[in-house]
């Protein structure tokens, strides 16, 4: 599965969190990797309007993981999580500035 938008989103998130591609795609329960992946799910849906099925096929993960991860980010945003709000602000800025 290929998507230039999701490729770019993945690259920006991997660079921002200093992750290797193998870490990003590896099924891991390490907090920093899970957090980065959840942000990917959230932005792929809301920033790029990708369906959960498309996102799950892109990352080769269950559709339920996409839904759960995105919903977790939405709950954190609703609670006013300052770290997440700041991370999203910076990542969105990087996305609009072509990763720079």
């Amino acid at each position: 599965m290929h998507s230039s938008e999701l490729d770019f989103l993945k690259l920006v998130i991997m660079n921002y969190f200093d992750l290797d591609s193998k870490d990003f795609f590896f099924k891991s329960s390490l907090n920093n990797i899970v957090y980065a992946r959840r942000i990917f799910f959230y932005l792929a849906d809301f920033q790029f309007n990708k369906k959960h099925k498309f996102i799950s096929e892109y990352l080769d993960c269950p559709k339920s993981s996409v839904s759960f991860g995105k919903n977790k980010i939405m709950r954190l945003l609703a609670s006013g999580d300052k770290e997440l709000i700041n991370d999203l602000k910076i990542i969105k800025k990087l996305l609009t500035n072509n990763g720079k």
Side-chain angles (χ1 to χ4, degrees):
M1 169 82 37
H2 177 75
S3 165
S4 58
E5 292 173 322
L6 294 186
D7 288 345
F8 181 60
L9 175 60
K10 180 186 67 163
L11 180 67
V12 168
I13 290 175
M14 286 184 339
N15 287 338
Y16 181 73
F17 290 106
D18 195 27
L19 299 173
D20 291 329
S21 186
K22 64 178 175 51
D23 293 333
F24 197 76
F25 284 98
F26 182 70
K27 291 173 178 60
S28 172
S29 60
L30 294 174
N31 285 342
N32 64 326
I33 296 172
V34 171
Y35 180 70
R37 220 181 286 137
R38 286 176 176 168
I39 288 176
F40 178 88
F41 297 154
Y42 175 82
L43 290 173
D45 186 348
F46 288 109
Q47 189 87 10
F48 295 105
N49 299 314
K50 301 298 182 189
K51 303 278 185 208
H52 290 188
K53 182 176 182 191
F54 187 87
I55 300 165
S56 72
E57 289 173 358
Y58 178 83
L59 284 182
D60 191 27
C61 69
K63 203 165 70 168
S64 60
S65 294
V66 174
S67 181
F68 178 82
K70 184 194 79 167
N71 289 337
K72 178 72 173 174
I73 294 297
M74 290 170 52
R75 285 191 302 274
L76 288 171
L77 284 172
S79 73
D81 186 290
K82 290 182 184 352
E83 181 181 356
L84 174 60
I85 292 167
N86 186 57
D87 287 339
L88 285 174
K89 181 180 174 183
I90 294 169
I91 291 168
K92 285 179 180 180
K93 186 176 181 181
L94 291 169
L95 288 170
T96 58
N97 292 333
N98 291 323
K100 297 177 185 163

